[in-house]
Each structure stands twice: as C-alpha cells, then as structure tokens.
Amino acid sequence: MEEALPAWSLPAGAVDGISLPTEWPERVTREWAFGGADGAGVRVCVLDSGITAGHPLVDVERAVKVTVDGNEARVEKDDQGDLSGHGTACTGIVRSLAPACSLTSVRVLGGSKGSGAALIEGLRWAIDEGFAVVNMSLSTTRRQFAPSLHELADRAYFRRTMLVASAHNMPVASFPWRFSSVISVGSHEHDDPFAYYYNPRPPVEFFAHGVDVEAPWLGGGTLRVTGNSFATPHVTAICALILSKHRELTPFQLKSVLFLTARNVATA
Amino acid sequence: MSAEELRAAIAAAVLGAEEGFAALLGSVVEVARAIFGARAATIFLLDEETDELVFEAIAGEGAELVGRRLPSNTGLAGFVLVSRQPLVLEEIQNDPRFASDVAESTGYMPQGLMAVPLLYDERALGVLEVLDRPQNSSFSLSELELLALFANQAAIALDLLQRARRARAALDGEGELAAVSRLAAAAESAPREVGLPALEALADLLERVAGTE
C-alpha cells in the first residue's frame, strides 16, 4: 500500500500510475456499496471501556488494555474486562451489523485519572496496527489533548484508518469528533439500524440509529440504550461492510460513499 | 475591623455561599425529577483527590445516600464522567447482575436511568442521573436535550460550590491564607507596642508581595 515515493506532484507520464482500481458506477447505490456484505476481511477496533468476557453477542478476536505510567504506555492483554457496560454495548452493535468483521477491543477507560493519555496512546496503537475502522464513542474536553488527537486523526486519515467518533450535544468543546478527518455521528429517532442521514450543517456529519437501541450489556443480556455513543458503532459497522466489498477505498472515498448512500441523499 | 472580625466575616460569607450553592444543587435535582416525572434524581461530584464520586444531592428515592462515596472507575456514572457522553438505559432489570450493581449506587433497583456528565469549561465535575422516568412513553431526543440543559445549570452550581469549599479550606487549613490570618490575629492580641509594628510590617509585606505579582 505504501508509495515508493511521496506523490507531491504529478508529472505528465505518471497519470497512468494513479488510475483507480474501482469501477465506479454511474450512480452509487446502497446495493453497490454494501449489498450482501458481512464485513469479512475488515479489521475493526473499538476504543472504549473493554468488553465483558463470554457474552454470546460480543465475540472479539482480541481484547487489550492501555495503561500509561509517566511517559511509558503499555498495551497488554485485558483480563479485567468492562466495568461499565458501554464498551460491551458498542462492540456488540458493530458485531450485530457486520457479523464477519474482525473485532479488537481496546480498553482505554477505567477511572477518571489518566484517561486522556490512555485514549491518545490507544489511538496511536490502533493506527500503528493498521485497523481499517476505529470506533470512538467517547471524547475528551481537555484542550491539552486536542493537538495530539488532531495529529493522530490526520495520520489515520492518510493511512487509510477511518476514525468514527461520537458527537455530543452539550455546550462545551470536545474532541476528536470535531476534527474533519474523522466521521462524526449523532443520533436520529428512527428504529432502523441501517438508516443514516448526512447533515449538511456540520460539525456533526452523519446521524444514525441511537435511540432505543437493543444492545448487549454486562450480565449476558441486552438493554435498550440511547445516546450518540450507540449511533456511532452503527456507522462503524456500515463502514466495515462497505470496505469488505471495496477494500481499496480511502477515508475520503469511504465518507463520500456514506454521503451518496445516506437516506436523505440517495432517495432525494 | 479587627483581623479576627475580618476572618470571621470572610468565613461567614464563604460558608453562606457554600450553603447557597448546595441548596441550588438540591433545587436542580428536585426540578429535574419533577419535569421528567422520575422516581429520583441524583448529582454526583467528582472528588479528584480520592478519585471517587460523592453523592452530593438527591431528590426522591435514596435521599439517605447523600455523602456516600463510590470509586470513579466502576459503574455507569464513572463511565459517563470519563467519556463525556450522556446515556439513557432502559430495561435494566433484564440484566440482573448489572441491575444489582446499579442498586448499589441508587439505594433501590431502578428500571431505567438517564445519565449526563456535568461539564464546566474543560473539566468534568460530576454526573447528573435521573432514574425511572415513566416507562410507558418511548424515549425522545428532546428529553436528552432537556437533560443537557439541566446538566449545564448543575455544572455551574457545582463549580461555585467547589470554589466556596476551596476558599473555606484555605481559611481553615495549613495554607498561606490561613497562616496570614492567624499571624494577623496573633499580632493584634499582642501588647500594642509589639503588635502594631508587627501588623504594619505584615501589611507592608503583603503589599510588596501583591505588587510583585
């Protein structure tokens, strides 16, 4: 995937070298985008509170946790698991829509101290690992973390890692959902997990199923949950479905496909 | 006004403010409970030193829990605090182990809850929870918007309460303000020929310190 040389310019003889492998249809439809797709071959990462072990609706390939001690960050197997239920729910929602994708849970939350640093280190790790999609149903309001998160979001964008982040509806600035290199997600009230809308008035770019969502929780059962946190993994899963049919899409192209197939665009 | 009177006046003002802000928090949870027709509403305050959530104000069920503490790294309120994400959960009873954990933090077994972080500037100060709004009405996003408005009000009150408490701690504690106030009191109670120059020297010192800042 890496270019031999950075493409800073395009000499006349090099045009053939950037021909696109995808045959784009005259009209991009949902059928073309992800019809029949199950997410197979796409690696998805969920940065959250971890997962509860053994839940029948939440099987993952790998579960790790990030700890930060001073300047040293460690990523190791997570034996403790989810203490809040949130990570279990978000991971389970991705699994329910993209049954064949490969899922990795990264626990970056577990207490109010050091959570911003763990979030950054978890994201850095996920980008280095080359996941195709990273779900972030969380944000930080600490401005000191914004520059690092911004830099990582841009790095992900150019390395073909799509970050999907929850917007929030409170009157404070928070990150990373406000960055244009991520897909930011809010909620709509319709009861359709595959319905999503493009918002022509950003910073929130898409709305997805986030009200009364049935999601796995800590004790092995399911709850009905509401919040942008739960709309976000719907978009993450749909990105995984699209990429399992169209592996070569860049984040820019992937976002464009989401736009073209959004309910208020495709049926307009 | 003597130094002791001055200190007493400041302490009274701080104490009065603290009581006022605590009453405001109480009023926020009462109104939140009434507007949503809920069984209870709770405000948790984050104690950054111990990394615990403290029950600061409760309306309705579980009022006896005020002052109790929970570790901030477990449970839903802790998650809402750290992730900055508001959440609504319903049919909690369908997940029995989780339901009993929740009961630990509410004093009874709720069926549904809404939780929203209390954010002021870039800090997360605590969490507002509303328990058991009527289950027969399906949840709407406008309710979440309304909850966010309450959360904003609660966050402002919580910030003022924390400031008042810090001011009192500074007056009562081992800090510099407390030392100055004790020094002034000691100088004043000393014989006049010692105390007056001491007080003047103290005033001069404070002025110079203030001038260099």
Side-chain angles (χ1 to χ4, degrees), chain A residues 135-156:
Chain A
N135 189 89
M136 302 177 77
S137 289
L138 41 86
S139 58
T140 179
T141 47
R142 296 275 185 195
R143 280 182 212 106
Q144 69 181 99
F145 297 121
S148 302
L149 279 173
H150 204 159
E151 199 179 306
L152 286 171
D154 280 355
R155 185 193 296 183

Side-chain angles (χ1 to χ4, degrees), chain A residues 221-246:
Chain A
T222 61
L223 301 186
R224 298 201 75 82
V225 297
T226 292
N228 294 348
S229 282
F230 310 113
T232 305
H234 284 87
V235 172
T236 293
I238 291 162
C239 286
L241 296 179
I242 295 171
L243 288 172
S244 74
K245 270 186 92 171
H246 308 284

Side-chain angles (χ1 to χ4, degrees), chain A residues 63-79:
Chain A
V64 297
K65 66 174 175 185
V66 180
T67 47
V68 179
D69 189 7
N71 286 329
E72 202 189 338
R74 295 217 322 251
V75 177
E76 55 204 346
K77 188 168 179 282
D78 185 12
D79 295 318

